[in-house]
Amino acid sequence: MTREKVRNAFNETMIAELRGAFEKLGADPGVRAIVLAARGPAFCAGADLDWMRRMSTFSPEENRRDARSLADMLRTIHECPKPTIARVHGDAYAGGMGLVAACDMAFAAIGAGFCLSETKLG
C-alpha cells in the first residue's frame, strides 16, 4: 500500500486496486505467496476520513454498494488460492486490522499497534 500521506487509509480506489491485485496474483501460476505490506509510518489506518465524509451524502443503495465493495475485497484476500501474509509495521487500526485478519498469516514489527477504534463509538 502506498498512500503514506493518509497512513495507507483505504478509499474506494484502494479497495478496488487491492481486490484486483489479489485476484490477478492469486490466478498467476508463477506466484507462490502474496505479501501485503505498506510504505510510510503505518500499515493501515482503516478507512480514509475524506472518503467517509463523501459517503455521508450517499444514498442507501450507494452505501450498500460501497460496503459490498469493501466486503468483496476482504473476501478476495481471505479466499485467495495463494498463501497471504500481512507484513505489519506501525499502526493497523480499524479496517487495517480487517486486512490483517483476512490474510492467512501476519508478522508484526516490534512496536506495531493494533486497535479497533470503531468499537468505542457504540
Side-chain angles (χ1 to χ4, degrees):
M1 297 177 282
T2 59
R3 299 188 73 222
E4 304 98 301
K5 290 182 181 178
V6 292
R7 301 174 60 77
N8 296 308
F10 50 77
N11 60 12
E12 66 276 23
T13 303
M14 186 169 157
I15 289 169
E17 289 173 348
L18 282 170
R19 182 178 180 191
F22 276 84
E23 287 173 342
K24 180 180 177 183
L25 294 169
D28 185 334
V31 172
R32 294 176 46 188
I34 302 167
V35 177
L36 179 60
R39 290 188 183 159
F43 176 75
C44 180
D48 185 313
L49 295 179
D50 287 333
W51 174 51
M52 292 184 76
R53 277 192 212 55
R54 286 194 316 274
M55 288 172 44
S56 70
T57 65
F58 285 6
S59 69
E61 180 52 37
E62 288 171 315
N63 270 302
R64 276 190 290 280
R65 189 171 36 251
D66 222 39
R68 218 174 290 118
S69 178
L70 175 60
D72 288 344
M73 180 265 294
L74 292 169
R75 187 177 306 105
T76 298
I77 295 170
H78 178 69
E79 295 176 353
C80 184
K82 306 294 168 81
T84 56
I85 303 163
R87 190 181 80 192
V88 184
H89 73 283
D91 296 329
Y93 284 5
M97 280 191 61
L99 290 171
V100 174
C103 289
D104 297 315
M105 292 178 274
F107 294 90
I110 293 173
F114 297 87
C115 179
L116 291 172
S117 51
E118 62 271 31
T119 61
K120 298 176 185 178
L121 301 175

